[in-house]
Amino acid sequence: MSSLFENIGGEKAVDAAVDIFYRKVLADDRISHFFDDVDMEDQIAKQKSFLTMAFGGPVNYSGLNMKEGHKHLVARGLNDSHVDAVIELLGGTLKELNVPAELISQVAGIAESVRGQVLGRQG
Amino acid sequence: MATLTYKDRSFQGQESETILDCLIRNGEKIPHSCKSGICQSCVMKTNDPVDLVSQKGLKPTKKEAGLFYTCQQSLNKDFEVFDSHESGPPIDGEIISQQRVSSSVVILKIQLDSPLEYKAGQFVNVFRTDQLCRSYSLASVSNNQIIELHVRKVPEGSMSNWLYDSNLLGQKITLSGPVGECYLTQDMENDDLLLIGVGTGLAPLYGIVHEAIANGFKGKITLFHGGLRLESLYLVEELKNLEQTHSQFNYFPVYLLGESKEGFLQGDLVELLKKHEFDLKNTTVMVCGDPDMVKKLKQTVFLKGVSSKKIFSDAFVSNKKV
Ligand SMILES: Cc1cc2nc3c(=O)[nH]c(=O)nc-3n(C[C@H](O)[C@H](O)[C@H](O)COP(=O)(O)OP(=O)(O)OC[C@H]3O[C@@H](n4cnc5c(N)ncnc54)[C@H](O)[C@@H]3O)c2cc1C
Ligand code: FES
């Protein structure tokens, strides 16, 4: 059986999605301020590893990194509503790329599974 | 506490210190400038594993050779480091022209003792005899032993005030490099170019415009040069002449403050770019100059729809004062 990552299109899919997704994030008043002070290249690289993870691909960071990596954002007020927004934009991105609904919900499921770590509620 | 070894000497690290800071604190003369992982002047070599950030943007071959930015690597465990000489041997030269083109910008021409191979748009690290080091973009086109730099005098800036104020004709100077990834490549051959320079951010783009034209670049070349006031702009006549003689080249001098004037655009560069129409799919964009403006301008063109892979930049980061 092939993996979610393969079904979605692997690294190519990540490449196709990253600009669309990051553009949505920057244009979204609910969350854009969390992404504004970081250099674009750094952000693109970060979004790429996030998308790779959400697509079920090989991850290069652990849950602890997740928590550490978002600590400063949580201090600035990052909460559930922002995670909701990110998952929504992720879904919108995949829809635009004509990814089947069934795969989109699997991706949303993975993104959902790290919510606690991102918000610093669990290690 | 971690121990740092260099040239058979050992130093004890302090809380959250970088390798560069530890070496400097102990009296070692290590070149450095931006302290932001950009200029590469502080690069050294190690066989110990380093953090991702301290190799960000280095070529894979350099990473494998153990090169890393000492300004980015915290001394979080024991390290042994070595001099790298990787950006080539230092090149000596002499300042042969020092032209003050505005109340804050000086154009320097430096005759090199030996040729420097580079691509227009790259930068060099310039060393004063006391080892003070700063990065400046090459405004000249390669294949010449004379290079051109545009330097803007910043308030209380050590290097830039010296370069502007002192009489430096005949002054010996040393440089290393070239460094930087903001230059024309073959992939861009079939694109148009949109070049956006703020202040002396014009320098690398000025070189790129001339190199593109000289190499028979086919596409449209559009240059926006932004300054605070009309007087902040320079090389206006030269660029207007170039526009007259080359139909593929369009030049827009822009300033923020002051009365409007014919032949210039007056207003906010970011807003003007939001309105500027161009081929979003087939344009390579290059943005250079003040870091905050570079960030805003990059975001603006990205949000318009330009692919992140087609956006290049050089942010003129100045070293962080402690
Ligand atoms: C890749 C790269 C390319 C560069 N290319 C060029 C170039 O082509 N032309 C050019 O003029 N510069 C360029 N710079 C910037 C240059 O390297 C120096 O940072 C700049 O000349 C200031 O050096 P200084 O020694 O005069 O000032 P410093 O002594 O380093 O700084 C003195 C003080 O001035 C402040 N300061 C620094 N810059 C500014 C500013 N722009 N406005 C207000 N305050 C400031 C600093 O924060 C500091 O407090 C480039 C930088 C990089 C990283
Ligand atoms: S890269 Fe370290 S000082 Fe510039």
Side-chain angles (χ1 to χ4, degrees):
Chain A
M1 210 189 82
S2 50
S3 68
L4 172 63
F5 190 59
E6 284 165 30
N7 286 337
I8 242 175
E11 254 173 73
K12 278 217 179 85
V14 174
D15 275 342
V18 69
D19 273 15
I20 302 175
F21 177 65
Y22 184 42
R23 229 173 251 132
K24 283 188 195 293
V25 166
L26 280 178
D28 192 314
D29 292 341
R30 290 173 297 177
I31 52 174
S32 60
H33 56 287
F34 289 115
F35 298 87
D36 237 19
D37 56 352
V38 188
D39 179 69
M40 210 167 99
E41 271 101 57
D42 285 352
Q43 265 305 329
I44 296 271
K46 281 189 191 156
Q47 305 303 347
K48 268 193 174 168
S49 38
F50 168 66
L51 292 175
T52 307
M53 186 244 6
F55 292 2
V59 283
N60 53 13
Y61 49 69
S62 65
L64 184 66
N65 291 167
M66 274 294 218
K67 191 171 174 177
E68 280 300 310
H70 292 89
K71 216 173 182 172
H72 64 294
L73 298 180
V74 173
R76 280 169 52 190
L78 188 79
N79 63 34
D80 279 302
S81 75
H82 306 114
V83 176
D84 292 343
V86 166
I87 295 178
E88 176 194 318
L89 298 180
L90 182 58
T93 303
L94 294 174
K95 221 169 174 176
E96 235 172 84
L97 291 167
N98 297 319
V99 173
E102 145 70 14
L103 296 185
I104 297 183
S105 69
Q106 287 185 39
V107 169
I110 298 181
E112 189 59 54
S113 72
V114 296
R115 179 189 291 265
Q117 291 163 357
V118 165
L119 294 177
R121 288 196 288 254
Q122 64 199 57
Chain B
M1 269 292 121
T3 306
L4 177 62
T5 308
Y6 174 57
K7 287 185 177 164
D8 301 325
R9 292 181 62 192
S10 287
F11 310 116
Q12 289 308 307
Q14 290 180 352
E15 184 73 28
S16 67
E17 195 175 34
T18 63
I19 290 187
L20 178 66
D21 286 338
C22 180
L23 289 168
I24 292 173
R25 182 170 55 79
N26 286 288
E28 294 293 340
K29 286 205 162 28
I30 308 295
H32 63 278
S33 175
C34 70
K35 290 197 172 175
S36 308
I38 295 173
C39 74
Q40 302 193 10
S41 63
C42 69
V43 164
M44 292 176 88
K45 199 174 178 144
T46 185
N47 298 319
D48 305 311
V50 295
D51 298 342
L52 270 179
V53 289
S54 40
Q55 292 188 313
K56 203 187 102 191
L58 284 177
K59 296 223 163 63
T61 47
K62 294 194 173 186
K63 288 185 188 173
E64 277 159 34
L67 301 187
F68 72 107
Y69 310 122
T70 52
C71 70
Q72 297 296 297
Q73 180 62 51
S74 66
L75 191 47
N76 47 15
K77 57 183 170 60
D78 292 355
F79 276 97
E80 178 169 13
V81 299
F82 309 89
D83 290 329
S84 85
H85 308 294
E86 198 53 26
S87 60
I91 299 162
D92 294 323
E94 179 183 324
I95 297 177
I96 55 166
S97 159
Q98 186 186 29
Q99 189 191 358
R100 296 174 186 88
V101 289
S102 78
S103 59
S104 62
V105 175
V106 59
I107 296 185
L108 299 168
K109 296 214 166 95
I110 302 172
Q111 168 92 51
L112 303 177
D113 293 354
S114 55
L116 173 70
E117 258 191 54
Y118 66 94
K119 298 205 167 66
Q122 289 192 293
F123 64 91
V124 286
N125 290 317
V126 173
F127 293 82
R128 201 162 67 179
T129 38
D130 63 359
Q131 291 302 303
L132 180 74
C133 164
R134 294 288 181 264
S135 310
Y136 294 102
S137 302
L138 292 152
S140 38
V141 176
S142 50
N143 80 36
N144 195 324
Q145 229 153 297
I146 297 173
I147 58 161
E148 175 175 323
L149 310 177
H150 302 170
V151 179
R152 191 174 80 90
K153 178 169 153 171
V154 305
E156 281 156 51
S158 336
M159 184 70 104
S160 60
N161 283 268
W162 180 68
L163 290 171
Y164 188 96
D165 291 329
S166 315
N167 179 5
L168 297 179
L169 281 183
Q171 172 71 40
K172 299 278 183 217
I173 201 143
T174 304
L175 43 97
S176 73
V179 194
E181 305 294 326
C182 190
Y183 53 75
L184 294 176
T185 62
Q186 295 230 309
D187 320 343
M188 304 169 186
E189 241 171 23
N190 300 316
D191 274 8
D192 289 338
L193 289 179
L194 174 59
L195 310 174
I196 311 162
V198 181
T200 38
L202 177 65
L205 305 177
Y206 191 75
I208 285 171
V209 168
H210 284 94
E211 189 165 289
I213 290 176
N215 291 352
F217 183 82
K218 296 277 184 312
K220 276 202 284 192
I221 307 171
T222 306
L223 171 67
F224 281 84
H225 183 204
L228 194 56
R229 298 169 190 285
L230 183 60
E231 307 81 67
S232 332
L233 300 173
Y234 62 97
L235 293 174
V236 176
E237 281 312 307
E238 285 82 350
L239 287 163
K240 287 199 166 171
N241 287 338
L242 198 68
E243 189 182 32
Q244 291 290 315
T245 48
H246 295 82
S247 57
Q248 73 185 132
F249 176 57
N250 280 299
Y251 165 58
F252 298 101
V254 182
Y255 59 94
L256 184 63
L257 305 174
E259 306 278 296
S260 58
K261 184 172 172 175
E262 193 172 326
F264 294 83
L265 296 174
Q266 196 247 317
D268 180 349
L269 189 53
V270 174
E271 293 305 317
L272 285 167
L273 270 152
K274 280 187 186 159
K275 292 195 208 103
H276 179 67
E277 284 179 24
F278 61 97
D279 180 351
L280 298 173
K281 283 268 164 306
N282 301 302
T283 299
T284 292
V285 182
M286 294 183 175
V287 193
C288 301
D290 173 74
D292 286 336
M293 280 298 281
V294 165
K295 204 168 76 185
K296 279 193 206 133
L297 289 161
K298 276 166 79 174
Q299 242 183 46
T300 303
V301 289
F302 176 68
L303 284 175
K304 277 178 86 102
V306 177
S307 156
S308 59
K309 291 204 183 73
K310 286 188 186 273
I311 305 176
F312 298 82
S313 64
D314 257 337
F316 288 4
V317 180
S318 63
N319 67 338
K320 292 178 217 146
K321 284 280 136 98
V322 276

